[in-house]
Amino acid sequence: MLDPLRFAAALGVAIFHQMFWSWAWTSIGVPGFERTVAADVIYPSAAPFTWFGWVGVEIFFVISGFVIANSASQSSPGAFLLGRALRLYPAVWVCATATLLVLLLFGSGPASELILPYIHAMLMVPKGVTGQWLDEVYWTLAAETAFYGLVFCAMLTRKITLRHLAFGLTIYSAMFNAVALLVASCTTPSDLPYLVILMFRVPCAAFLLSHGCFFALGIWLFIFANRQLTALEQVAVAVTCLSGAVEIYFFASFFLESIPAIADQSALVPIMVWAAAVLLIARAANRNRRTAGTTSPEAPAYLRTLGLITYPLYLTHNVIGAAIIRALVDAGLDATSALWIALGMLVLICWFICAKIEPAVRSALVHALSRFGKLPQKQPKLRRPALARGLRLRLPVPVKMKVAAS
């Protein structure tokens, strides 16, 4: 269930960037380095169907909360940290290097501008309030790594449970999003308070103020996949859902007020798309809980492959995708055909990355790490135990739902 949903979310983000943001950004400001390689094409007739594709990021964050909770419940702190590093860094190194080469070969900006953003991308560290990302899509990695860090610290304490972490993120993010809704109702996108609140969505994503609710919801869904939620936990789920809807509404309203091409659209559309995805995850979690103790059929290999392709596809679709579209348009193809051919080519490229290149880089990294001492081992997987009320992070809690590593 999660693998095709993740792929659909990534595809939605890719279509948003290439069919809408690639030309609509002029209403708001200068975008990232992709502008130096992009073709001069527009898709105004597709705007009503593509402008909300960015909500795929919020879907990613919910899935990430679920998957990381699952990983943490079955690992020691060292094994969890190593697993996250081995999952994230190889693909980032490959994709960031490919992006840098594309910008150097086909971009029009000075090469010196790329050095610091490339280092930030390779290390997966936030760029700060000033500066640029090598590719704008990398901002989500700041939020992801911040969440991983929280989970890792919780695991080290051996006292903070998944339940505690979910409650903390629920309250923390809900308070901020409530303030954001208040600010949105009293100001306009050009007012300073509005811009300050908006800053925490991308430049300050590592604080998890806007997006903590999505990771919290993922944790709650993981707990729901293993046992029935208490009344208080159900209230927390409702709060995270409302908080997530507010965050989406806030950003959608900013888009609708700032970009004339979509002024007649509704901010409820991305909320409904996100809610539909959450319901699909919740349905799968409920089915997992009800079928506990029975043997679940293995997910088809092609679904697992879709899940693996998602990560490099997300990292390459913006800059590299724009360069491919430009090459196809320069070769004489119309803009629409160039877009779909480029996306098909990207899927094939990303399959090659996840099937061939990424495993080789990961193997080399494991070999290098092994030279510095014994690598942490995962705790042995056990049969499904009677779960603790709080699902303490140190307990192995196998989950039958087939998911790809986030």
Side-chain angles (χ1 to χ4, degrees):
M1 172 62 74
L2 297 190
D3 287 327
L5 184 59
R6 289 178 60 192
F7 183 80
L11 193 60
V13 174
I15 292 173
F16 160 74
H17 279 131
Q18 298 302 345
M19 293 195 77
F20 181 76
W21 187 239
S22 61
W23 57 272
W25 63 266
T26 53
S27 300
I28 297 178
V30 178
F33 292 119
E34 69 272 11
R35 72 186 185 279
T36 66
V37 299
D40 186 18
V41 294
I42 61 175
Y43 305 88
S45 61
F49 315 103
T50 59
W51 74 270
F52 53 86
W54 51 266
V55 81
V57 170
E58 281 79 354
I59 296 172
F60 286 147
F61 288 159
V62 176
I63 296 174
S64 184
F66 186 103
V67 173
I68 297 308
N70 181 40
S71 298
S73 69
Q74 303 182 71
S75 303
S76 65
F80 171 80
L81 192 62
L82 177 65
R84 291 298 90 207
L86 291 177
R87 170 60 178 143
L88 295 182
Y89 276 108
V92 165
W93 293 341
V94 172
C95 296
T97 301
T99 298
L100 175 66
L101 292 175
V102 167
L103 290 172
L104 289 174
L105 292 173
F106 304 104
S108 58
S112 58
E113 290 183 354
L114 304 174
I115 297 175
L116 191 57
Y118 177 66
I119 294 173
H120 283 165
M122 293 293 281
L123 297 177
M124 274 183 26
V125 296
K127 69 175 181 62
V129 177
T130 59
Q132 283 188 284
W133 301 99
L134 182 68
D135 188 329
E136 289 296 312
V137 301
Y138 279 70
W139 74 265
T140 62
L141 297 184
E144 291 278 356
T145 52
F147 176 60
Y148 300 164
L150 280 178
V151 174
F152 176 69
C153 291
M155 295 175 75
L156 288 178
T157 68
R158 295 186 175 274
K159 293 182 179 180
I160 299 177
T161 68
L162 282 174
R163 187 172 182 265
H164 294 149
L165 192 58
F167 270 124
L169 282 173
T170 296
I171 297 170
Y172 172 79
S173 186
M175 292 175 63
F176 179 82
N177 285 328
V179 171
L181 183 63
L182 179 63
V183 169
S185 65
C186 300
T187 61
T188 65
S190 61
D191 293 330
L192 181 60
Y194 194 106
L195 296 175
V196 169
I197 291 292
L198 190 65
M199 179 181 67
F200 285 93
R201 188 180 191 275
V202 176
C204 299
F207 289 101
L208 297 179
L209 282 167
S210 298
H211 301 105
C213 57
F214 300 109
F215 293 106
L217 180 56
I219 297 176
W220 288 126
L221 290 172
F222 167 75
I223 296 175
F224 179 58
N226 289 273
R227 63 164 171 82
Q228 186 68 44
L229 298 178
T230 66
L232 182 60
E233 290 167 347
Q234 291 175 23
V235 171
V237 170
V239 171
T240 59
C241 289
L242 287 174
S243 180
V246 166
E247 191 278 332
I248 295 170
Y249 177 83
F250 179 82
F251 188 62
S253 297
F254 167 72
F255 254 42
L256 297 178
E257 293 182 34
S258 304
I259 303 177
I262 54 172
D264 60 339
Q265 299 298 306
S266 171
L268 295 178
V269 174
I271 295 176
M272 291 188 293
V273 172
W274 174 77
V278 170
L279 286 175
L280 286 175
I281 301 171
R283 180 174 176 272
N286 183 58
R287 184 170 64 247
N288 179 83
R289 179 173 54 82
R290 291 181 178 276
T291 58
T294 63
T295 302
S296 300
E298 288 290 334
Y302 69 88
L303 292 182
R304 172 64 175 168
T305 301
L306 283 180
L308 294 175
I309 288 174
T310 297
Y311 185 35
L313 176 62
Y314 181 77
L315 295 177
T316 59
H317 75 266
N318 195 32
V319 169
I320 298 177
I324 295 175
I325 291 173
R326 173 179 161 182
L328 293 174
V329 169
D330 289 346
L333 268 70
D334 64 275
T336 302
S337 298
L339 168 74
W340 294 113
I341 292 174
L343 288 177
M345 293 174 64
L346 274 178
V347 169
L348 291 176
I349 292 170
C350 292
W351 171 83
F352 185 75
I353 290 174
C354 71
K356 304 296 181 181
I357 303 178
E358 192 179 345
V361 175
R362 186 177 296 113
S363 178
L365 181 58
V366 169
H367 181 70
L369 291 173
S370 66
R371 291 179 175 272
F372 294 93
K374 185 178 179 181
L375 294 175
Q377 299 295 320
K378 286 187 176 182
Q379 294 177 352
K381 293 185 178 181
L382 306 178
R383 292 186 178 276
R384 187 183 186 91
L387 301 182
R389 182 182 181 86
L391 275 136
R392 290 193 178 276
L393 294 173
R394 65 177 180 268
L395 293 179
V397 186
V399 174
K400 292 181 177 296
M401 192 183 304
K402 305 303 178 185
V403 297
S406 177

